[in-house]
Amino acid sequence: MATQATSSSPSSTSSSSSSSSCPRWKCHVFLNFCGVDTRKNFTDHLYIALKQKGIITFWDDEKLERGKYISPELLKAIEESKYAIIVLSTNYASSRWCLTELAKNFECMKKAKLTILPVFYHVDPSDVRNREALLLKPLQNMRKIPELTHKMCKCGKLL
């Protein structure tokens, strides 16, 4: 299961006009993070702070089984979010889930529907930008997803 914090007065960023080009956001923020690195500390505090401010935030539930494929619900949550906060941490690039979510974030960003906000948690942004220690070894093991190397570099360049 995934968790979505809702505010007492859910606000939609779409206007009341009949234009179909205005998307209706179900979440303000989608949190993309490596649970082993940040769930019990940084991301947990961030989630609580966003929730307290009434910001509708989606993050994956800790009870999701490791190693299983990402549910369509999780990918749909990215599509239905206005912002994605990507918490890049030491083990981020080792997580197939994180990288799959990252690819979906960039896909939605290309469609001008999503703004990506990278956060570097105990990681040097130049490592991400230059594909060094943080990324190179794990990504070499994930050759089945070649576009992710490029997307991680793009994430590093968002600074």
Side-chain angles (χ1 to χ4, degrees), residues 89-154:
S89 59
T90 307
N91 292 302
Y92 183 92
S94 298
S95 167
R96 184 175 213 79
W97 278 34
C98 289
L99 296 176
T100 301
E101 288 176 16
L102 180 70
K104 185 65 171 180
N105 285 320
F106 275 99
E107 177 186 317
C108 291
M109 184 184 80
K110 279 184 180 179
K111 295 177 183 177
K113 294 172 56 176
L114 183 73
T115 301
I116 295 176
L117 306 166
V119 174
F120 297 89
Y121 182 81
H122 295 259
V123 172
D124 187 331
S126 65
D127 286 345
V128 176
R129 192 178 305 115
N130 297 325
R131 293 183 284 174
E132 289 180 7
L134 171 71
L135 303 171
L136 201 52
K137 290 177 187 174
L139 287 174
Q140 286 173 345
N141 296 329
M142 302 183 95
R143 291 185 184 146
K144 295 176 185 174
I145 316 172
E147 73 276 8
L148 293 177
T149 301
H150 175 68
K151 290 177 186 197
M152 285 299 290
C153 292
K154 284 178 72 177

Side-chain angles (χ1 to χ4, degrees), residues 18-77:
S18 60
S19 172
S20 61
S21 64
C22 294
R24 301 196 102 187
W25 310 114
K26 290 192 177 179
C27 293
H28 295 123
V29 174
F30 180 91
L31 292 177
N32 177 217
F33 61 97
C34 181
V36 70
D37 290 341
T38 68
R39 181 183 302 279
K40 300 282 187 197
N41 47 52
F42 178 81
T43 304
D44 188 46
H45 294 293
L46 176 60
Y47 175 76
I48 290 168
L50 292 168
K51 184 177 176 181
Q52 288 173 344
K53 294 290 183 185
I55 297 170
I56 301 169
T57 304
F58 186 99
W59 77 332
D60 68 338
D61 192 316
E62 189 174 10
K63 294 175 185 143
L64 287 172
E65 291 183 54
R66 306 285 182 253
K68 297 283 183 181
Y69 290 104
I70 292 180
S71 73
E73 174 193 7
L74 204 59
L75 297 175
K76 187 173 182 182

